[in-house]
């Protein structure tokens, strides 16, 4: 089929790769403008753009698709490019721009979205993070016929996977990206078998709607008054971004791996206080239970197992992790 593709990060690149490998004709790729990245903050092409250039696929990078918005010239140029490419369908995956009605209506078969949740749960920008943070037992991919709402379109295909106790956003992302690639190939294959007609679809249920709001940097700060299990889930949810963190001895320490025991008792300790330190982990009192941190990172350093971390940054029982504006917890 003649496919236009709109996407930006690695999650989208995996889907584009799957469509290309399946033999579909990718007539145009839309992706976000190059952004500064890395220590040198040099402009860097998105993973989707890099793939498209490597395979000689035309790429456009409009700053907006709204003809009446801030960048009408970008939107008008994108419209001309899409009309010239004449796609039968557009596939959208983590693109990052809102598609106005003229885009949704341009391909004859509309726009299909690869969404990383079991809709209608976790509509919005950060479905993988929020599913882990909330303690969901499963997630998945929904292939959706896009409409003007925020992830409200009819569902075409759904597949689910369990969320393992040790899954982070990083590990779950990779599983869902692969699943998304498989499902969108199935969806376009079904369109071909239907003689390029409409696929059977199911409206999203009115019950169970939730929104996965964008992850903000300020969420990284650990609130030690919360139960250990909640903190543990946030550590996994915020890996790799923004990383859960807390201040000790004037340094912001990032927490990458930890186990939680909500039944453990520490009645004499305040939230954030270090209870014990060993090569097996740093045990910290929480609002309920105890968190045992097993992988930590100093600013500018690498993620390290706690045994190696402690060689360069000793931690002692009785110290207290806190926020940046607290003076407690000074390292010796």
């Amino acid at each position: 089929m003649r496919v236009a593709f709109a996407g930006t990060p690695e999650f989208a690149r995996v889907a584009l790769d799957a469509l290309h490998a399946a033999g579909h004709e990718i007539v145009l790729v839309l992706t976000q403008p190059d952004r500064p990245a890395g220590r040198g903050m040099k402009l860097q092409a998105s993973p989707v753009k890099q793939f498209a250039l490597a395979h000689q696929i035309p790429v456009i990078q409009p700053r907006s698709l709204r003809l009446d918005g801030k960048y009408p010239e970008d939107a008008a140029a994108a419209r001309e490019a899409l009309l010239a490419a004449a796609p039968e369908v557009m596939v959208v995956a983590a693109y990052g721009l809102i598609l106005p009605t003229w885009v949704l209506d341009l391909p004859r078969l509309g726009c299909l979205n690869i969404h990383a949740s079991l809709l209608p749960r976790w509509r919005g920008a950060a479905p993988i993070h929020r599913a882990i943070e909330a303690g969901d037992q499963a997630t998945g991919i929904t292939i959706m016929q896009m409409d003007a709402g925020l992830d409200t379109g009819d569902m075409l295909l759904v597949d689910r996977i369990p969320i393992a106790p040790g899954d982070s956003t990083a590990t779950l992302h990779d599983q869902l990206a692969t699943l998304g690639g498989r499902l969108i190939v199935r969806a376009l294959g079904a369109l071909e078998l239907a003689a390029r007609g409409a696929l059977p679809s199911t409206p999203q249920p009115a019950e169970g709607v939730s929104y996965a709001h964008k992850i903000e940097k300020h969420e990284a700060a650990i609130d030690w008054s919360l139960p250990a299990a909640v903190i543990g889930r946030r550590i996994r949810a915020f890996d790799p971004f923004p990383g859960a963190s807390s201040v000790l001895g004037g340094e912001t320490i990032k927490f990458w791996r930890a186990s939680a025991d909500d039944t453990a008792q520490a009645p004499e300790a305040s939230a954030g206080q270090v209870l014990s330190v060993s090569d097996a982990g740093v045990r910290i009192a929480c609002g309920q239970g105890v968190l045992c941190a097993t992988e930590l990172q100093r600013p500018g350093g690498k993620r390290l197992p706690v045994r190696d971390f402690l060689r360069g940054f000793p931690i002692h029982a009785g110290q207290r992790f806190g926020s940046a504006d607290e003076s407690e917890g000074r390292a010796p």
Side-chain angles (χ1 to χ4, degrees):
M1 299 186 70
R2 292 178 61 81
V3 179
F5 186 90
T8 299
E10 178 64 16
F11 180 88
R13 186 209 62 80
V14 173
L16 179 58
D17 190 355
L19 291 169
H20 184 269
H24 293 288
E25 183 184 1
I26 314 299
V27 295
L28 185 66
V29 161
L30 291 79
T31 191
Q32 290 264 4
D34 297 357
R35 307 288 191 202
R39 289 190 176 182
M41 294 301 287
K42 295 180 180 179
L43 286 179
Q44 184 171 320
S46 72
V48 163
K49 180 181 178 180
Q50 293 177 42
F51 181 92
L53 294 178
H55 293 83
Q56 292 79 51
I57 301 170
V59 179
I60 60 173
Q61 297 175 270
R63 290 167 291 179
S64 170
L65 292 170
R66 290 179 56 90
L67 294 169
D68 59 350
K70 186 177 180 181
Y71 304 104
E73 67 282 0
D74 283 29
R79 187 173 185 273
E80 291 304 312
L82 279 165
L83 286 170
E88 296 174 90
V89 65
M90 177 183 278
V91 172
V92 182
Y95 178 33
L97 289 183
I98 294 173
L99 302 191
T101 302
W102 73 260
V103 179
L104 299 175
D105 292 343
L106 191 147
R108 186 174 63 84
L109 297 173
C111 300
L112 305 187
N113 179 243
I114 307 169
H115 189 74
S117 81
L118 301 172
L119 291 172
R121 185 162 177 79
W122 301 130
R123 296 172 178 171
I128 303 175
H129 305 75
R130 299 306 184 191
I132 293 175
E133 183 184 18
D136 291 2
Q137 299 300 302
T139 186
I141 291 289
T142 303
I143 305 297
M144 175 189 66
Q145 187 81 50
M146 296 181 71
D147 61 16
L150 176 62
D151 299 327
T152 56
D154 290 353
M155 301 180 293
L156 303 176
L157 291 174
V158 181
D159 203 351
R160 62 192 292 130
I161 60 172
I163 299 177
D167 269 331
S168 66
T169 291
T171 61
L172 203 54
H173 166 280
D174 292 349
Q175 297 176 61
L176 289 169
T178 300
L179 179 59
R182 289 202 304 266
L183 280 194
I184 195 60
V185 168
R186 274 179 52 192
L188 294 196
L191 276 178
E192 289 185 294
L193 290 176
R196 290 173 164 77
L199 282 178
S201 60
T202 303
Q204 294 186 34
E207 301 78 26
V209 175
S210 61
Y211 289 91
H213 299 289
K214 180 182 177 181
I215 302 297
E216 303 289 349
K217 286 187 177 181
H218 71 80
E219 296 183 70
I222 295 173
D223 180 354
W224 294 104
S225 68
L226 295 172
V230 173
I231 297 172
R233 292 199 301 267
R234 288 188 174 181
I235 289 170
R236 293 188 291 117
F238 298 162
D239 176 3
F241 176 84
S245 62
S246 192
V247 174
L248 185 68
E251 289 203 47
T252 300
I253 307 301
K254 287 198 172 185
F255 287 65
W256 294 114
R257 288 185 183 274
S259 59
D261 184 354
D262 270 2
T263 64
Q265 301 293 320
E268 303 300 321
S270 60
Q273 185 174 335
V274 177
L275 301 174
S276 65
V277 180
S278 72
D279 287 351
V282 178
R283 297 177 69 252
I284 305 163
C286 304
Q288 177 185 332
V290 173
L291 187 86
C292 182
T294 56
E295 185 176 283
L296 300 170
Q297 182 182 16
R298 293 177 71 178
K302 297 179 180 179
R303 299 187 185 195
L304 293 173
V306 70
R307 177 180 57 187
D308 298 328
F309 179 88
L310 292 170
R311 292 194 182 107
F313 191 90
I315 298 175
H316 304 286
Q319 290 183 283
R320 181 175 172 271
F321 282 93
S323 61
D325 58 355
E326 289 180 310
S327 59
E328 296 182 48
R330 299 288 184 186

